[in-house]
Amino acid sequence: MNLKELSAHLGLSPTTVSRALNGYPEVSETTRARVEKAAQALGYSPNARAQGLATGRARAIGHILPVSHQHEMVNPIFGDFVQGAAALYARHGYEVVISLVEDIKEEAAYRAIKARGNVDGIIVHGPRMADARIGLLQELNMPFVVHGRASDIHTPYSWLDTNNHRAFRRATDFLLDLGHRRIGLVNGLEFMDFAHRRRAGFEEALLARGLAPDPALMRSGEMTENYGFASADAMLSGAAPPTAFLVSSMIAAIGVRRAIQDRGLTMGRDVSVITHDDDLNYLRNGIDVPIFTASRSSVRQAGRLAAEMLMKLIEDRGLPPQTHLLEAELIIGSSTGPAPL
């Protein structure tokens, strides 16, 4: 179906239908909703290039991923995030532009994108504690939303984040309530903001129970399966091994489970494990009963909500910065139990 056929079906002029689909303010919300509903029902997809010529927009959203020897953003979490955002982009006639850039060349990449004008807005991934990209995008006057936050940036900016501090405080309290007193933390790289907040929540829960955080039971690194295995193996080899682990990702938690099993121990009985980010499309946490107890926050939902925020910022450049803090659920699985006597 083309624009002319959709217009005839609705009994509206092609100009009105085009303006409704492109978000022009002079079109009433009733008409806009009617046009969008018919377009979706009849399978009409506006041509992004034609829309761009008509509106002066690129009709594209940029996702720039830093490629680094220190941390890797191309993982199942990013895939789920984009999956959540892509449906909304498509509904609004936007395409996705994904660029992989060496982290030392990020500034040049952002400036080049602004100069080319090939995207209307950007989602910033993997914010660091003091993330220079935020100030740069503000300088470039480019609409953007940060997936996460940057603790050391104090100027207002748009972000969507999970309450990592509360999630890890709650998970640690859960293990403490089960009687665990030696809990190993297998965290992400702590110059990344999410990992910094998770460690703070973990330590706060310990201190509230009169327990001093033990550096020997804390690790920070790239969240791979091998990292999870090596971290847990080293801690379990100590003179006073942990009876439980709190892990920052499902992938690393699988490595922790391998280290436990290699010692002939049973996860959930001999050693408990809680992980984060278990709600991933390509890495399911069991089928009927969760394998891991987990602090769960849907990455797909985060992608959809961040896309909604960015669409609003693109449509109305006068909007103030938008923020959205998601809370994680605690899902009880078979990987946790009382501390062994």
Side-chain angles (χ1 to χ4, degrees):
M1 171 169 283
N2 58 35
L3 180 63
K4 184 177 179 180
E5 291 168 334
L6 177 62
S7 303
H9 173 80
L10 289 164
L12 298 171
S13 71
T15 300
T16 299
V17 172
S18 176
R19 286 177 176 270
L21 292 170
N22 286 303
Y24 281 82
E26 62 266 29
V27 179
S28 71
E29 284 303 317
T30 301
T31 300
R32 190 190 323 281
R34 180 179 167 224
V35 170
E36 289 179 349
K37 182 178 180 180
Q40 185 173 10
L42 297 171
Y44 172 74
S45 179
N47 181 278
R49 186 176 298 276
Q51 284 188 315
L53 291 172
T55 63
R57 292 179 182 163
R59 310 303 299 184
I61 302 299
H63 291 257
I64 301 182
L65 303 183
V67 178
S68 171
H69 294 297
Q70 291 183 294
H71 65 98
E72 180 58 73
M73 284 301 301
V74 183
N75 56 34
I77 292 176
F78 174 73
D80 270 36
F81 183 93
V82 171
Q83 186 181 62
L88 191 78
Y89 294 156
R91 197 154 61 243
H92 287 264
Y94 281 79
E95 297 177 346
V96 181
V97 176
I98 299 175
S99 301
L100 300 180
V101 179
E102 291 183 51
D103 51 6
I104 59 173
K105 297 179 180 178
E106 278 187 296
E107 179 175 347
Y110 281 104
R111 292 190 183 279
I113 284 173
K114 173 65 176 180
R116 289 194 300 266
N118 62 341
V119 300
D120 297 311
I122 285 177
I123 301 285
V124 177
H125 295 275
R128 299 173 282 278
M129 295 284 294
D131 202 303
R133 294 174 294 176
I134 293 169
L136 174 62
L137 286 167
Q138 289 172 330
E139 175 196 332
L140 295 173
N141 195 27
M142 173 78 77
F144 70 94
V145 172
V146 180
H147 181 209
R149 283 176 283 176
S151 295
D152 293 342
I153 302 293
H154 303 295
T155 57
Y157 60 93
S158 295
W159 55 262
L160 177 140
D161 197 11
T162 298
N163 195 336
N164 287 291
H165 183 282
R166 185 176 294 174
F168 270 50
R169 168 72 192 256
R170 185 181 181 191
T172 308
D173 279 333
F174 181 80
L175 291 171
L176 291 168
D177 289 343
L178 287 172
H180 297 280
R181 292 298 179 267
R182 291 188 58 76
I183 303 170
L185 175 66
V186 182
N187 202 7
L189 291 160
E190 290 174 357
F191 63 81
M192 306 291 286
D193 194 82
F194 75 88
H196 169 78
R197 293 178 186 273
R198 291 176 185 180
R199 177 170 178 155
F202 170 74
E203 292 183 338
E204 184 179 279
L206 293 177
L207 291 169
R209 305 287 183 106
L211 300 172
D214 184 352
L217 296 183
M218 290 185 278
R219 297 290 190 279
S220 169
E222 180 64 38
M223 294 186 295
T224 64
E225 194 274 347
N226 283 335
Y227 160 69
F229 172 81
S231 297
D233 187 62
M235 288 189 237
L236 290 169
S237 297
T243 61
F245 289 97
L246 181 54
V247 190
S248 263
S249 82
M250 267 283 285
I251 296 171
I254 292 170
V256 171
R257 179 178 64 177
R258 178 161 66 95
I260 292 169
Q261 292 174 340
D262 276 5
R263 292 175 175 273
L265 303 173
T266 300
M267 183 176 72
R269 185 190 68 194
D270 302 310
V271 183
S272 290
V273 178
I274 296 182
T275 187
H276 186 70
D277 280 336
D278 76 316
D279 188 21
L280 299 175
N281 195 35
Y282 299 106
L283 191 62
R284 308 305 300 177
N285 184 11
I287 300 174
D288 298 321
V289 178
I291 297 169
F292 289 99
T293 296
S295 53
R296 173 180 295 177
S297 181
S298 171
V299 180
R300 288 184 296 283
Q301 181 194 26
R304 178 179 59 79
L305 292 173
E308 287 178 357
M309 292 169 66
L310 186 56
M311 294 292 101
K312 291 177 182 177
L313 293 170
I314 291 170
E315 296 293 335
D316 185 353
R317 298 294 293 269
L319 280 178
Q322 310 291 297
T323 62
H324 195 137
L325 185 62
L326 300 169
E327 296 295 338
E329 301 177 83
L330 186 64
I331 306 299
I332 309 303
S334 59
S335 66
T336 49
L341 299 176

